[in-house]
Amino acid sequence: CKIDNEKFLMTTTTSNAALVLDWIEEWLQTEWPDLDVYCTSVTDHWSTIIVTGPKSREVLVKLNSQQNFDNDNFPFMTYKEINISGILCRVFRISFTGELSYEINVPWGYALFLWNKILKAGAEYNITPYGTEAMHVLRAEKGYPIIGQDTDGTVTPLDLGMSWLVSKKKDFLGKRSLTRKYMQDNDRRQFVGFQTINSKKVLPEGAQVLKTRVSKNKINKAIDFPIKSDGHITSSYYSPILERSIALGLLRNGLDRIDKNEVVSVVGENGELIDALITGTTFYDY
């Protein structure tokens, strides 16, 4: 996020903050030593409170009725410094749940005070804290990947169906790699969704998607070894709002196989074969 003309704030997952900083420092020292850039970790300077859900805007308006939180004034993927309950906060209109969300960066010493203020303001809307498990289901319903779970070091933005965010004009790390023929091969494993034919059946994460669909019950009775895999399941959950299982995964030539009514066999526990329909990655969008 561009804070001002000479200051940028980069956020990462908490567990990767030190790793990302280490890489940036290495690039500055070895690839672009001429840049007048300095990096400082501010992880322990700020706390982050995320207000998310259909009523999140109403909650923040109660905390600062003078601020215009409407879409036209505060659109998605933008940032503002806003006074919330007397504290100058950095507020980001971004989301990892797929819902309307505001990520509030507050100086760490004020975090508990602001947390209690938010809970009080949202009480009439039945506001409640939510954990990472709930967040993971919400983001999967929206089709948001977790980097490091739905991806590994071989997956590119093109594989994720996100070619729209890769600049064709700007220089960036990895640009040369993306132009190589192998990176644009249709046989690459690409990010897709899966819906089991039996809606109550939840696919195991890590399960292999067979290259050839098999209809029998047990894998050791159905096909000959070695097993040929077309991909694998990276995330899998039961969606309460959809009342069915959903899954995300990487599949050979997957982007071209979305919504073609193609059913594949996935290897479940104890060799059970589970039929699943290849779909897009967005299961629910409110």
Side-chain angles (χ1 to χ4, degrees):
C1 176
K2 186 177 180 180
I3 303 298
D4 59 39
N5 286 336
E6 294 187 347
K7 184 184 293 185
F8 293 80
L9 179 68
M10 176 182 289
T11 61
T12 71
T13 57
T14 304
S15 60
N16 282 329
L19 177 64
V20 171
L21 179 60
D22 184 59
W23 270 110
I24 294 174
E25 288 287 7
E26 180 172 329
W27 289 327
L28 281 174
Q29 294 176 37
T30 61
E31 302 297 325
W32 298 291
D34 55 317
L35 292 183
D36 187 18
V37 175
Y38 301 90
C39 296
T40 302
S41 174
V42 295
T43 299
D44 56 356
H45 297 192
W46 300 86
S47 292
T48 301
I49 302 171
I50 304 169
V51 184
T52 185
K55 298 294 184 181
S56 56
R57 183 179 285 118
E58 284 89 334
V59 172
L60 290 187
V61 167
K62 290 181 68 175
L63 295 169
N64 184 340
S65 59
Q66 304 303 310
Q67 174 66 44
N68 183 354
F69 288 96
D70 290 345
N71 285 331
D72 291 341
N73 185 63
F74 199 169
F76 185 54
M77 297 290 281
T78 59
Y79 148 84
K80 289 181 182 294
E81 287 195 351
I82 298 175
N83 187 304
I84 300 179
S85 292
I87 307 166
L88 187 61
C89 301
R90 292 172 173 171
V91 183
F92 303 85
R93 172 75 193 282
I94 53 181
S95 175
F96 189 60
T97 63
E99 294 277 3
L100 174 67
S101 296
Y102 299 88
E103 295 198 4
I104 304 170
N105 281 192
V106 56
W108 71 268
Y110 297 102
L112 182 59
F113 170 81
L114 184 58
W115 175 266
N116 290 327
K117 285 284 188 179
I118 291 171
L119 289 179
K120 185 176 180 180
E124 67 174 288
Y125 306 115
N126 296 319
I127 195 170
T128 186
Y130 72 99
T132 54
E133 287 301 315
M135 181 180 69
H136 285 181
V137 175
L138 288 166
R139 66 88 197 174
E141 290 169 344
K142 181 70 171 178
Y144 290 160
I146 294 179
I147 304 305
Q149 176 172 324
D150 296 301
T151 70
D152 57 24
T154 69
V155 177
T156 72
L158 309 184
D159 299 330
L160 291 173
M162 294 182 177
S163 58
W164 54 270
L165 59 72
V166 178
S167 174
K168 293 180 173 59
K169 298 178 181 179
K170 296 178 181 178
D171 191 18
F172 56 89
L173 290 165
K175 183 175 183 177
R176 181 180 59 184
S177 297
L178 289 181
T179 62
R180 295 184 175 180
K181 184 178 179 181
Y182 171 73
M183 288 296 186
Q184 302 177 42
D185 192 333
N186 285 337
D187 276 345
R188 289 183 60 81
R189 294 191 175 190
Q190 298 165 336
F191 196 49
V192 301
F194 297 92
Q195 289 188 338
T196 53
I197 303 304
N198 177 354
S199 62
K200 305 302 180 186
K201 198 77 175 178
V202 178
L203 296 170
E205 292 184 350
Q208 297 298 306
V209 181
L210 297 185
K211 189 163 186 166
T212 303
R213 185 185 174 196
V214 182
S215 59
K216 294 183 181 180
N217 256 351
K218 293 289 182 179
I219 192 170
N220 56 4
K221 296 180 181 178
I223 58 177
D224 296 328
F225 288 90
I227 302 167
K228 293 185 178 179
S229 170
D230 237 9
H232 65 281
I233 305 300
T234 56
S235 295
S236 184
Y237 310 95
Y238 184 83
S239 167
I241 198 166
L242 297 174
E243 297 184 337
R244 65 159 299 114
S245 71
I246 59 172
L248 300 166
L250 296 170
L251 185 69
R252 181 187 59 82
N253 196 24
L255 296 178
D256 285 340
R257 297 165 69 178
I258 290 173
D259 295 333
K260 300 288 180 64
N261 293 319
E262 182 182 350
V263 176
V264 293
S265 296
V266 181
V267 183
E269 295 178 357
N270 301 317
E272 177 187 13
L273 293 179
I274 305 168
D275 285 340
L277 181 70
I278 302 170
T279 71
T281 53
T282 303
F283 300 99
Y284 181 76
D285 192 9
Y286 175 73

